[in-house]
Amino acid sequence: MTTRTITGLIEATEATFRLIADGSHDELQARLNPRVREQLTPQLIGDTWVVALGMVGELEGFEGTHVELHDGTPLDADERVIGTVIGATVLRCEVGELVGRVAFDETSAIVGILIVPIDHGPLPF
């Protein structure tokens, strides 16, 4: 297996949520791994975002964005990895915060997106 750096995945994590907030469905779909496009439809992502907005208001920024392994081990920007990694951030919104997580495969395509409350329980990734 080939190793790769995680350079650019912090920015890609934040860009994912900006695209969702802006309703840029085509650009977001282009970043998805083809195997997950049928599950992560623009309709599903948009509906999830509307529910999130109802809880905390409009997206204002990000805090603590980083990349980690599935077990939560944070990665340095110059580390080399194999396989899927997670971009994690706090979504700062008008009246609250959410956790945003993006799973990136070995080609840095998106294979999962989570938007959950700060006080969430265990997560699938």
Side-chain angles (χ1 to χ4, degrees):
M1 295 195 121
T2 304
T3 63
R4 73 183 197 290
T5 65
I6 58 168
T7 303
L9 292 184
I10 289 174
E11 293 83 7
T13 299
E14 293 180 359
T16 298
F17 294 107
R18 280 192 200 96
L19 291 172
I20 293 170
D22 293 343
S24 300
H25 302 297
D26 291 341
E27 190 174 345
L28 180 61
Q29 289 292 304
R31 294 175 182 225
L32 297 178
N33 179 297
R35 295 184 320 254
V36 302
R37 284 188 190 132
E38 287 183 25
Q39 289 80 34
L40 292 177
T41 64
Q43 182 70 43
L44 176 62
I45 294 169
D47 289 350
T48 302
W49 190 247
V50 167
V51 171
L53 292 178
M55 293 187 303
V56 294
E58 296 290 329
L59 178 66
E60 293 184 340
F62 306 94
E63 188 174 314
T65 308
H66 64 281
V67 178
E68 61 187 42
L69 298 175
H70 284 278
D71 66 1
T73 303
L75 297 169
D76 292 327
D78 61 348
E79 284 191 68
R80 298 194 65 76
V81 296
I82 296 173
T84 302
V85 295
I86 311 301
T89 191
V90 172
L91 305 171
R92 287 188 295 103
C93 301
E94 290 175 308
V95 295
E97 297 177 331
L98 296 167
V99 172
R101 296 176 65 80
V102 181
F104 296 98
D105 70 10
E106 65 280 350
T107 68
S108 298
I110 297 170
V111 292
I113 301 170
L114 286 176
I115 303 167
V116 296
I118 290 287
D119 58 353
H120 63 79
L123 298 173
F125 65 84

